[in-house]
Amino acid sequence: LKKTEYKLNKKKVREKCSAFFGLKQSKKFLAFYSISFPMGFPDEFAYTCLNTVLTRLREGCGLKSYLWVAERQKNETIHFHMLTNNFMYIKKVNSFMGTAINNQIRCKKNKGKIKVNFDIRKYNGVDVRHVNNNRKALNCYLTKYVSKNTASFHRLPYSSSHDISELFTAETFPN
């Protein structure tokens, strides 16, 4: 089977970020997460881990609104950035991600497919920054980041919760 390659729709991501910043809840609280994986961790498993963790965060931590973007690091390992206006404890988010990564590595069907060094007791690959006081700088950073992201992905390079994907961002009228 031929894998489809996806490119980041930079304009759409910028519009969604701007609309996200304008939400009433985002004016009260906004956090920016960086999610890293062990060097050499395969993309397909990183996406599976992200999906597992997002489900756990929705069920156990009240995550409702989010937007994530994939990034290819210099070492070729995928990395995700996530924006949310829902408060979550970083220790819990790190624990969920560490467990998801560990489960992928230990899964019998994945044996031999994942060749990385990973110690769940030392995992601290999720970083969070509270950005309420620095909205303009974050918007500039995200815009710059999205603009420089030229990597191709075999899965979606960004996604969001249903409420964010439905945000009305722009309309063009013909002359």
Side-chain angles (χ1 to χ4, degrees), residues 1 5 16 35 48 52 95 115 120 147 165-166:
L1 291 172
E5 284 197 359
K16 292 291 182 194
I35 303 165
T48 299
T52 298
S95 174
K115 296 177 175 112
I120 191 170
S147 297
S165 66
E166 293 174 349

Side-chain angles (χ1 to χ4, degrees), residues 67-82:
L67 170 77
W68 62 259
V69 179
E71 175 187 14
R72 180 84 50 213
Q73 296 179 350
K74 288 178 185 176
N75 67 19
E76 293 300 312
T77 304
I78 202 164
H79 175 86
F80 295 101
H81 295 286
M82 183 175 77

Side-chain angles (χ1 to χ4, degrees), residues 71-133:
E71 175 187 14
R72 180 84 50 213
Q73 296 179 350
K74 288 178 185 176
N75 67 19
E76 293 300 312
T77 304
I78 202 164
H79 175 86
F80 295 101
H81 295 286
M82 183 175 77
L83 190 60
T84 183
N85 56 18
N86 302 116
F87 176 82
M88 299 178 293
Y89 290 101
I90 188 62
K91 284 186 179 183
K92 196 168 235 184
V93 179
N94 254 308
S95 174
F96 286 171
M97 186 55 76
T99 299
I101 293 169
N102 199 48
N103 289 344
Q104 281 296 306
I105 292 169
R106 294 181 178 271
C107 181
K108 287 182 183 178
K109 70 178 183 177
N110 297 337
K111 288 284 187 205
K113 294 181 184 176
I114 304 175
K115 296 177 175 112
V116 297
N117 291 324
F118 182 73
D119 184 346
I120 191 170
R121 297 167 298 179
K122 295 180 182 177
Y123 180 75
N124 190 26
V126 181
D127 182 49
V128 64
R129 293 183 184 172
H130 181 250
V131 292
N132 272 357
N133 298 330

Side-chain angles (χ1 to χ4, degrees), residues 30 64 150:
L30 195 60
K64 293 181 181 111
T150 58

